[in-house]
Amino acid sequence: MNKSFKPDVNAETVDGGAHVARPHDSAIKHVTGKAIYIDDMAEPAGTLHAYLGLSTRAHARITSMDLARVRAAPGVKLVLTGGDVPGINDISPAGLNDEPVLAEGEVKFYGQPVFCVVAETRHLARKAAQLAQIEYEDLPYATDVVAAIEAGHDHVCTPLTLKRGDVDAGLARAPNRLKGEMRVGGQDHFYLEGHISMAIPGEDDEVTVWASTQHPSEIQHMVGHALGVPSHSVNVQVRRMGGGFGGKETQGNQFAALAAIAAKKLNVPVKIRPDRDDDMSITGKRHDFHIDYDVGYDDDGRILAFDGTFAARCGFSADLSGPVTDRALFHADNCYYYEDVRLASRPMMTNTVSNTAFRGFGGPQGLIGAERVIEEIAYKLGRDPLDIRKINFYGGEGRNLTPYHQTVEDNIIGRIVEELEESSDYQARRKAIVAFNENSPVIRKGIALTPVKFGISFTATWYNQAGALVHVYRDGSLHLNHGGTEMGQGLNTKVAQALAEEFQVDFAMIKITATNTGKVPNTSATAASSGTDLNAMAAVNAARQIKERLVDFASEKYSVPKETIVFEPNRVRVGNQVFSFAEFIDQAYMARVQLSAAGFYKTPKIHWDRATGKGRPFYYYAYGAAVSEVSVDTLTGEYQVDRADILHDVGKSLNPAIDKGQVEGAFIQGMGWLTTEELWWDDKGMLRTHAPSTYKIPLASDRPRIFNVKLADWSENREMTIRRSKAVGEPPFMLPVSVLEAISMAVASIGDYRTCPCLDAPATPERVLMAVERLKAGA
Amino acid sequence: MSLSISLAINGRQHDVALNDPRVTLLDLLRERLDLPGTKKGCDRGQCGACTVLVDGRRINSCLALAASMDGAEITTIEGLAEGDELHPVQAAFIEHDAFQCGYCTPGQIMSAVGLIKEGMAGDDPERVRELMSGNICRCGAYQGITEAVLEAGRKAAENAQPQTGNPDTGKDAA
C-alpha cells in the first residue's frame, strides 16, 4: 500500500510504535479477501491431492487390509500405508514413539488414519478412499476418563504430584470438610481454516512444506523424521493461519508428513486438506477432566487443606498431555492460598483421538476445580462466593507460596477485583437479583464474579527461547522475520511495533515476512501466550545489535561521543547533525557496516524441577476478573448471558486494540467451552459431534447483551518484559467461569441458595435443566 | 456430461463449461475462476465463511450448485472495493477491529453488505447479532463485527436519504 512511502523525518513520534492501537498488519488484505491462506495459493502444475482412510473401530487388531480397489480407482497415483513411511512411522511430539503417521496392525481410536490415497483431484482421492476393505478383530476399549480408570488403563505419560505441608493432617484438623467431584468437558478448536499442508519436492533430499501450523520447527523435525532425512533438508513456511488456538501446535504433523512423503515419492507437489468432519475426527482437542476434591476449611470459609486429583482424557497417545495435565495442577490454586495441599494428575490413556493443546493448556481445567470448591464452601456457609474468594486470595505474611513452591510476587488480584466490583455495581446488582428471584417463578437470574491468575512461561523451560532475523536495507526499509506464527492474535503487528519503536522508524517501513525454518531455526511453538514476550524481545535484540554497530560507525566517522547519537522518529541525530534514517543507513552501508542481525532471547529467572515439584516455572502472572449475569428458564434449562463486565491485566499494553480483541474473543470462546460446546462419543467410540451442525460454538447472538471490557491501564509488568507488557492469549479464556457460576447461582435460587448445584461443564440447557430438577427434588 | 452457464461475477461476464454438474458455486469461484477470497470453512452451509451475494441476496456458496447460477449476478469479497477505495463495510471492519485471523471475514463482510441491503436490522444491535448469526467467528470478534455492521448501516442509511439507488451494494449494481 506504500509504493511511494516517505516517512516524516520531522515527526514527534513514529507512526505505529509501541503502546498504540494500530490495526492488524494484514487488515486491508483481510477485508478485501487478498490475505492468502494455504488453500488460496496458486497450485503448482501437476499438484496432486491426498485423502485419508480412517479406522472404524475404537480399538482393534487389523486382520486384513485390502486396498486393491483403492489403487485401481480412477485418478489414483499412490496409496500409502504405515509400511511406506521411508523414515520412522512416528510423529510423537513427546518423543515416546506412541503416535504413528499411519496405524499399522492395530488401531487405537475410531477415526485413526490407516492409509492415505493420492489422486489427481481431491474428489477422486476421496471417492477412492471409500473402496478400502479392512477387517478388524475388536479389542476392549474405554473412551471416557472414568471408564478408563475403572478399566485400569495406563497413564500416557508420568503423572505429577505437587505437595506442600501435610494435607492429611490439615484435612483431619480442619473444622469443616467437604468432598466432591466435577466433570469438565473438552472442546474442539474449530479453527475456521482447517488443517492443510502442501509439500513441494526439491533437489536431493529437499522438500518445502507449507503448513497451517503454530510450530514450524516441529513440522520440520517430524517431516525429517518421517522421511528419514536431516532437518536441514526440510523447509517449512507459514504465512498465516485461519485460527489455531493450540489445535495447530502438534496436530499438523501428520498432514505435513504425509504430504511430504507423497511429494517425495511421486516427485510432484502434494496437497492435503481434510474436510471438516475428518479434521474434527482425526485431530486432538481440549482434554476432558474428572476432578476429585477433598477440602478442609474454617467457619469463615478459609481453605486450610486441599487434596485434588485431576484425571484427564488424553486419548490414545501422550502428545502434549504431560505438560497439559501439569499445567492443570499449576492452576488448581487459581488466586488462592492453600495451607496444606496435595495435587495429583492422572493422564489417562483412552481410546479416543489424542488430546492436545488448547488455549489455556490444562490451566482452565485446573482453575475451574478451584472455583468449584469456592462455590461449594460458599453455599455450605450461606455466603456470597465472592466473599469466600477474597478471604482466600494470596497475600500477606506467609500466604504467598504456591503448591509448586513459587512465590507470588506480583499479585494485583485484590485491586482488580475491587475495581471491577465497583465499576460493575456488583453488590447492588446481586441484591436486586436475589430480590427478583423471590418473585419470579420461571425465570431465575444469577450473577458471579470470578478471578483469574495465569502463569506465563512454558513449563518446559527450554521452550522459553526465541530468535529473530532483522535486515535493514539501503533505502532504510526493514525486513522482519521471527520464529512466531500469526494465527490472528496480532503477533506480527506487535513484534513490528516493538521493532518500529526500537529503531524509531514508522511501522510502514517494516515488512513482516512469513515464518520460515530457513530464516530462524529451532523455534518454539507459538503457544503458552508467549509469542510476543519471546519474539518481540528477540527482534529488539537484533535491532540493538545493528544499532550498536551504527552508533560505533557514526561516533567514529563524525568524531562525536556515542551518547550524542540518538535515534529519533525516522531520523538519526549525530552530535549537531541530523540525517534521515535512510540517509544514515546508506552512509553506514558505504562504510561497510553489517546491517543485518540474528536476535535471540531467553526468559530469565525461570527454573522447574518436575521430580521434586519445586521451582519457579513462571516468569510472572497475568490477572483478570469478570462479572457475568445470566437469566435461566427453569422450565427448559435455556439461558442467556445478559451482561458481562471484564477488567483484565495485560501489563502496559503494546497494542490496546489487539489486546482488547484477545480478551473479548477469549471470553466468547471460553463461554462456548463452558456452555454450548459438547463433544459426544457414541458407545462404539465414534465422535458424533464432528461438524457445526451438532457441535455448537458461540454465535454473534450468544454474545453477552451488555459487554463491558476494560484493560487495567494502570498495570505494568514488574518484570522486564517487552515494554512492560504482559501476555494475553490464554489468561482471559478463564474469565467466563463467571458465566458458569452465574448459571449455577440462578439454579441455586431454587434451593434458596443452600445447595451448591454442582453444575458440570459444559452447562448445556439439558444439564442445567437436570440441575434444576435435582434441586427441586431435594427441596 | 458438460453444461454451460453464463454468469456475471463482480461485474465481469464469465462463460463456464462445467464438466461435472455437482460443482458448487464455492468451488467454481475458488478452484476454476481464481477467486479464493471466498473461504471454505465447513463446506456444509453451517459456518458462513463462503457467503457471497447472488442477485444481491446473501447465500452460502458451498450449498449452491454452480449449474443453477446461469444468468446470475454474483458479488464476492473481491468485488467490493473500488480500486484502493474500500467499501464502507470493509472500512468499518478495520475501524472496529472486527476480525482476528481473518478467515471468516470475507463471509462476514458479504453477509453484512447483504444484511444492510435487506434493511431488516436498522440500528438495533440485537437484530444485527441475530441476523449475522449465520456467520461463525471462532476468534470471537463479535463485538467489533456488530459495531462495524451498525456503523456501516448508519452510513448507508444517511447516504441513501438524498440519493436514489442503493450505494451499499457496491460494484454489483454497475
Side-chain angles (χ1 to χ4, degrees), chain A residues 405-615:
Chain A
H405 301 260
Q406 171 164 353
T407 303
V408 182
E409 297 170 339
D410 57 5
N411 191 358
I412 54 167
I413 196 61
R415 179 168 175 189
I416 295 253
V417 166
E418 191 184 324
E419 287 193 11
L420 182 66
E421 193 180 340
E422 181 80 27
S423 67
S424 68
D425 203 16
Y426 172 82
Q427 294 298 349
R429 283 167 62 204
R430 186 176 152 91
K431 273 202 192 84
I433 284 170
V434 171
F436 172 89
N437 286 342
E438 275 171 25
N439 300 308
S440 180
V442 174
I443 303 295
R444 294 293 174 96
K445 286 176 178 277
I447 187 168
L449 190 162
T450 60
V452 171
K453 162 180 131 288
F454 195 79
I456 303 299
S457 296
F458 288 99
T459 55
T461 302
W462 64 91
Y463 253 49
N464 297 286
Q465 59 172 310
L469 181 66
V470 174
H471 305 320
V472 185
Y473 295 104
R474 282 181 76 181
D475 63 355
S477 67
L478 286 89
H479 169 118
L480 165 62
N481 195 274
H482 59 80
T485 54
E486 176 65 40
M487 60 195 106
Q489 83 279 44
L491 170 65
N492 282 344
T493 309
K494 286 163 97 174
V495 175
Q497 283 180 271
L499 189 66
E501 188 71 33
E502 187 61 35
F503 266 117
Q504 286 293 299
V505 296
D506 286 352
F507 187 96
M509 295 303 289
I510 300 168
K511 169 71 83 181
I512 311 160
T513 55
T515 316
N516 185 326
T517 54
K519 286 188 180 174
V520 177
N522 307 320
T523 57
S524 296
T526 307
S529 309
S530 68
T532 305
D533 278 13
L534 297 175
N535 293 291
M537 287 299 260
V540 165
N541 174 261
R544 288 187 180 159
Q545 294 175 44
I546 297 170
K547 278 169 70 182
E548 202 177 307
R549 292 178 208 140
L550 291 169
V551 168
D552 287 346
F553 145 74
S555 162
E556 193 182 318
K557 174 169 171 151
Y558 293 99
S559 305
V560 294
K562 287 182 186 176
E563 53 278 12
T564 65
I565 299 162
V566 185
F567 289 78
E568 294 180 354
N570 301 312
R571 60 189 183 266
V572 181
R573 183 173 298 278
V574 181
N576 296 326
Q577 301 186 69
V578 176
F579 304 103
S580 77
F581 184 75
E583 213 180 331
F584 181 71
I585 289 297
D586 197 56
Q587 289 179 20
Y589 167 78
M590 294 305 291
R592 299 189 293 176
V593 174
Q594 188 192 0
L595 295 171
S596 170
F600 185 73
Y601 175 74
K602 55 180 178 179
T603 311
K605 293 189 178 180
I606 49 174
H607 53 92
W608 170 239
D609 181 354
R610 195 173 185 270
T612 58
K614 288 183 183 177

Side-chain angles (χ1 to χ4, degrees), chain A residues 137-220:
Chain A
E137 180 192 322
D138 284 319
L139 297 168
Y141 62 90
T143 56
D144 173 71
V145 58
V146 175
I149 291 171
E150 283 164 4
H153 276 202
D154 291 335
H155 294 139
V156 291
C157 52
T158 316
L160 174 69
T161 302
L162 301 178
K163 271 190 278 195
R164 214 197 49 241
D166 182 344
V167 77
D168 295 318
L171 285 170
R173 222 174 20 237
N176 308 295
R177 188 159 169 181
L178 67 86
K179 286 186 194 188
E181 60 179 326
M182 180 177 196
R183 272 178 181 264
V184 185
Q187 186 178 27
D188 189 88
H189 304 83
F190 207 88
Y191 23 62
L192 257 278
E193 179 212 30
H195 274 282
I196 181 165
S197 269
M198 180 162 72
I200 302 174
E203 299 178 341
D204 303 323
D205 284 345
E206 290 170 24
V207 63
T208 299
V209 181
W210 287 89
S212 185
T213 178
Q214 295 170 237
H215 199 349
S217 281
E218 188 168 274
I219 296 271
Q220 177 193 29

Side-chain angles (χ1 to χ4, degrees), chain B residues 24-26 43-46 50 59-66 68:
Chain B
T24 63
L25 175 59
L26 176 61
D43 212 15
R44 45 162 68 202
Q46 291 158 353
C50 65
I59 66 154
N60 289 321
S61 62
C62 74
L63 289 186
L65 289 173
S68 67

